[in-house]
Amino acid sequence: MGKYFESMFEDLLKESDSSSQGKSKLVERVLPIIFSNPDWFEQDRCLQKLTDATGIPRDQLRMIAKSWIGKHLETNRRLRELFTSND
């Protein structure tokens, strides 16, 4: 992720504001990118950067990510079932 993430994160940070809605949008945009990287060390480093920017603890960001991933996995499962049914 490295330089790409750093650059993208800085751009998103500039676009967001410090309101709770602005922080929420930043988290929604950045978490999927963070967790698309399989390197746990890099994920943790990026989560810390997001924590520093939003004030949201890393543990809470991980819970938000689990919820987001779970919703998308369920949606993907339902879509697969819909498009692979033999009706």
Side-chain angles (χ1 to χ4, degrees):
M1 224 179 285
K3 288 184 181 182
Y4 171 75
F5 176 79
E6 296 294 329
S7 173
M8 183 265 329
F9 185 79
E10 292 302 322
D11 289 346
L12 290 174
L13 195 55
K14 288 176 190 172
E15 293 174 12
S16 68
D17 58 46
S18 61
S19 70
S20 59
Q21 186 176 16
K23 290 178 183 180
S24 179
K25 286 182 181 180
L26 179 64
V27 167
E28 287 176 10
R29 294 175 79 183
V30 173
L31 277 182
I33 296 166
I34 291 173
F35 285 97
S36 69
N37 185 343
D39 182 342
W40 287 63
F41 180 77
E42 187 70 13
Q43 287 178 7
D44 195 56
R45 188 183 72 74
C46 293
L47 281 175
Q48 184 59 53
K49 192 167 184 77
L50 188 56
T51 291
D52 294 343
T54 62
I56 301 170
R58 279 187 297 184
D59 290 342
Q60 188 173 352
L61 290 171
R62 286 188 186 281
M63 288 178 19
I64 293 167
K66 280 184 182 180
S67 173
W68 182 86
I69 290 168
K71 287 177 189 175
H72 289 286
L73 288 175
E74 178 63 19
T75 299
N76 289 340
R77 184 188 64 77
R78 288 182 182 171
L79 287 171
R80 266 192 318 275
E81 288 174 356
L82 178 66
F83 288 109
T84 59
S85 67
N86 293 331
D87 295 313

